Amino acid sequence: MELWYTEKQTERFGITAKIKRTLHTEKTEFQQLDMIETEEFGNMLVLDGMVMTTEKDEFVYHEMVAHVPLFTHPNPKHVLVVGGGDGGVIREVLKHPSVEKATLVEIDGKVVEYSKKYLPTIAGALDDERVDVQIADGFMHIAKSENEYDVIMVDSTEPVGPAVKLFEKGFYEGISKALKEDGVFVAQTDNPWFQQDLIRNVYSDIKEIFPITRVYTANIPTYPSGLWTFTIGSKTKDPLEVSEDRFHDIETKYYTKDLHKAAFALPKFVADLLK
Amino acid sequence: MELWYTEKQTERFGITAKIKRTLHTEKTEFQQLDMIETEEFGNMLVLDGMVMTTEKDEFVYHEMVAHVPLFTHPNPKHVLVVGGGDGGVIREVLKHPSVEKATLVEIDGKVVEYSKKYLPTIAGALDDERVDVQIADGFMHIAKSENEYDVIMVDSTEPVGPAVKLFEKGFYEGISKALKEDGVFVAQTDNPWFQQDLIRNVYSDIKEIFPITRVYTANIPTYPSGLWTFTIGSKTKDPLEVSEDRFHDIETKYYTKDLHKAAFALPKFVADLLK
């Protein structure tokens, strides 16, 4: 018997992956959680029918969410990750020696639990002593935080289910308040082939709140279209003006100092979305 | 009834696209040719079971094959496209006013015929008076050419069927001979997620022949992994040292002057393949 996982990334297009077996399937309090073992991409976490991360290509997303804002900030000490219960962003955050505390606020404890069990190379860093894992609503956490974080990263699902609020302007206003004066924020903002309205709206909202707003991209094979965007909002620091001596060597598989800048050179049709 | 086209891009992973209908299907002298109308990507040309081009995302591949070498060369007059029977690369080549003659050598006349019929926005430029379409073996054409072309572009299928010879070192040696002294050559060289050996071997072969050899990437949603590589070989001109005044405005949807350089900033795991 051959088993294939098929995800309709739009109503009319999708990906399909041969699987060895289903490791876990559960309707949690917040979403449908499936963990499957695929042949091409290793273990794969699927939430509400959408690939969140896989062992083979996870490094792209996690490195690009983390290192671009962390090198943009001159001296990040306290970092907040909203969502990201698989732990991959936290693993990358901890590669920065300036970071004293990394807080993860994930709404669904089951994501943390099953990531630790089936994605240990991704979730292992959650047990580090610099990490504070809170199973709580990220929206509420932001609402009650003030002048507290150097860098905030929003590692959410698509804007369906529990993540809908994380794509609203009020949330970005809360992030601005939760950041310190020289704070930097980044959010994953979906793909420019099938979600053009989303990117346009989110960029417009963030731009009204943050003096410096920029979009960058990375290639993630298991995400729709293979091209993912990230939107960075900053009060004073420009990701394109990081001084050479700010960069230090870190172990990566995707991110490089050159790519830090090159990732902001957008395909023309993406740049046109932001006009 | 719902019809879905599914392509196994590897034995274990693929894409699937909802289709309205099959427009044409034929076993030509050289390969299986299918033209289908998809809902997400418009009309789609499939050769030997692999997506070659679609109306929605074709601009990425065609612009990035053409404009990077054409702007690298200071004054391209005579251009050769090997393969590329859909006409998309030729359409982009003709946007450069210096080009006096663009020769297309496509082995399969049926590709030209059905691209003209079902992909008119891509193939329309094949009727331009500067274009010389030859239905012939590109390998043989290269073998008999000497000191003739300013830029040669290899727009082949994957290295199966008639294209196998177009990935061999002898072919690249022929290209070097067919180019003028300041000539520039580019080939599509597949994706770095599933075809690492191919990229490594092709890069190594080209590097032995051309003093300047560089790899760049672009995002193509309907190609395996969404990340495509192109390898450029040049006798004297470096694609990273194009002077600002060489660039002129052309109408594009993906290529920009900034992306010309940024596309050479490789993800670390891709750069590591080339070491």
Side-chain angles (χ1 to χ4, degrees), chain B residues 139 156-169 171-172:
Chain B
F139 188 90
S156 67
T157 61
E158 308 286 282
V160 292
V164 168
K165 288 181 298 182
L166 307 186
F167 288 84
E168 288 172 1
K169 192 172 176 186
F171 180 61
Y172 304 131

Side-chain angles (χ1 to χ4, degrees), chain B residues 12 29 36 53 55 84 99 126 188 247 263:
Chain B
R12 323 181 289 185
E29 190 182 343
I36 52 184
T53 199
E55 288 180 314
V99 172
L126 292 173
Q188 73 83 3
F247 291 106

Side-chain angles (χ1 to χ4, degrees), chain A residues 83-99:
Chain A
D86 57 56
V89 175
I90 288 287
R91 182 193 63 204
E92 297 304 314
V93 167
L94 295 179
K95 290 179 180 173
H96 290 256
S98 69
V99 172

Side-chain angles (χ1 to χ4, degrees), chain A residues 2-59:
Chain A
E2 279 196 9
L3 289 178
W4 288 75
Y5 162 76
T6 300
E7 175 185 336
K8 288 188 187 176
Q9 299 175 323
T10 75
E11 289 297 306
R12 323 181 289 185
F13 188 75
I15 55 169
T16 187
K18 193 174 179 187
I19 75 169
K20 291 182 184 166
R21 58 190 173 131
T22 300
L23 299 166
H24 185 77
T25 182
E26 174 175 352
K27 179 128 187 53
T28 75
E29 190 183 342
F30 300 98
Q31 55 205 338
Q32 177 65 38
L33 184 160
D34 298 293
M35 190 75 75
I36 52 184
E37 186 181 353
T38 74
E39 295 200 359
E40 186 67 62
F41 285 94
N43 290 356
M44 175 185 275
L45 171 64
V46 180
L47 295 178
D48 282 339
M50 293 172 283
V51 177
M52 287 298 112
T53 200
T54 81
E55 288 180 315
K56 183 171 177 173
D57 72 349
E58 56 90 7
F59 65 90

